[in-house]
Amino acid sequence: GQNIDQPTEMTATEGAIVQINCTYQTSGFNGLFWYQQHAGEAPTFLSYNVLDGLEEKGRFSSFLSRSKGYSYLLLKELQMKDSASYLCAVRTASGGSYIPTFGRGTSLIVHP
Amino acid sequence: DGGITQSPKYLFRKEGQNVTLSCEQNLNHDAMYWYRQDPGQGLRLIYYSQIVNDFQKGDIAEGYSVSREKKESFPLTVTSAQKNPTAFYLCASSEGTDYSGNTIYFGEGSWLTVV
């Protein structure tokens, strides 16, 4: 089985930087995804990491350490529209298929 | 425009009824998925299909059924055997499941409420 942990809720100030952590325990690790989900809407893809290190994409960056079973999503220059749930998903290889398992998500509240 | 279309957006079901949620994609993706999301919970996999006429159970398949007669379509039936069906249902697709780096894209979701 897999165990994926994320904080339930975080708050931050507009213009600031916030780091959302995700830890996982799994076998057959084959990549980690971050998705953003606004209330009542579908998740949208943010980033993908399969090798150790930092992937930067505009205001968003994602980091992975496979040896530590750890990832974080870094959001810079926070905007009010960044208030959403952020889902960490771990992909594992099973019987030739690669299916992601999602964490419970972190609800980020950005205030003025 | 390419994408994944789910319908209906909102659906009410009476106790003991079966209901079917539609999912259509025009991305030419081989793999399709159904997830369920409850408040405060992550997405849980119900069923997935890697190719036409084939599908596999996910973590919470009991009380659900699917079919994959066409590449573009992967409808989900919520049967009366599903005791707690009220949830947000998400359909997704990806190019395939047999290689890594394969991003999953989601439809807009369907809200199912038992009345």
Side-chain angles (χ1 to χ4, degrees), chain A residues 23-72:
Chain A
T23 59
Y24 62 89
Q25 296 174 313
T26 188
S27 57
F29 174 84
N30 205 279
L32 187 144
F33 296 84
W34 284 96
Y35 284 83
Q36 180 191 62
Q37 186 179 26
H38 286 98
E41 298 181 9
T44 55
F45 171 75
L46 290 178
S47 68
Y48 170 72
N49 295 69
V50 66
L51 300 177
D52 291 350
L54 188 68
E55 294 283 341
E56 297 185 81
K57 190 183 294 185
R59 293 190 299 117
F60 293 6
S61 303
S62 57
F63 171 83
L64 175 67
S65 169
R66 290 171 295 170
S67 62
K68 296 182 179 179
Y70 168 69
S71 173
Y72 68 72

Side-chain angles (χ1 to χ4, degrees), chain A residues 30 35 37 42 48 91 97-98 103, chain B residues 37 50 97 100-102 104 107:
Chain A
N30 205 279
Y35 284 83
Q37 186 179 26
Y48 170 72
R91 187 199 300 276
S97 295
Y98 295 79
Chain B
Q37 188 173 34
Q50 299 180 75
T97 64
S100 61
N102 199 356
I104 284 184

Side-chain angles (χ1 to χ4, degrees), chain A residues 4 6 85-88 102-106, chain B residues 37 40-43:
Chain A
I4 302 171
Q6 304 178 235
S85 183
Y86 290 85
L87 308 175
C88 171
F102 287 80
R104 296 187 173 216
T106 298
Chain B
Q37 188 173 34
Q41 304 236 7
L43 279 63

Side-chain angles (χ1 to χ4, degrees), chain B residues 92-111:
Chain B
S93 71
S94 64
E95 291 184 11
T97 64
D98 57 353
Y99 62 93
S100 61
N102 199 356
T103 301
I104 284 184
Y105 297 96
F106 289 88
E108 293 299 309
S110 294
W111 290 92

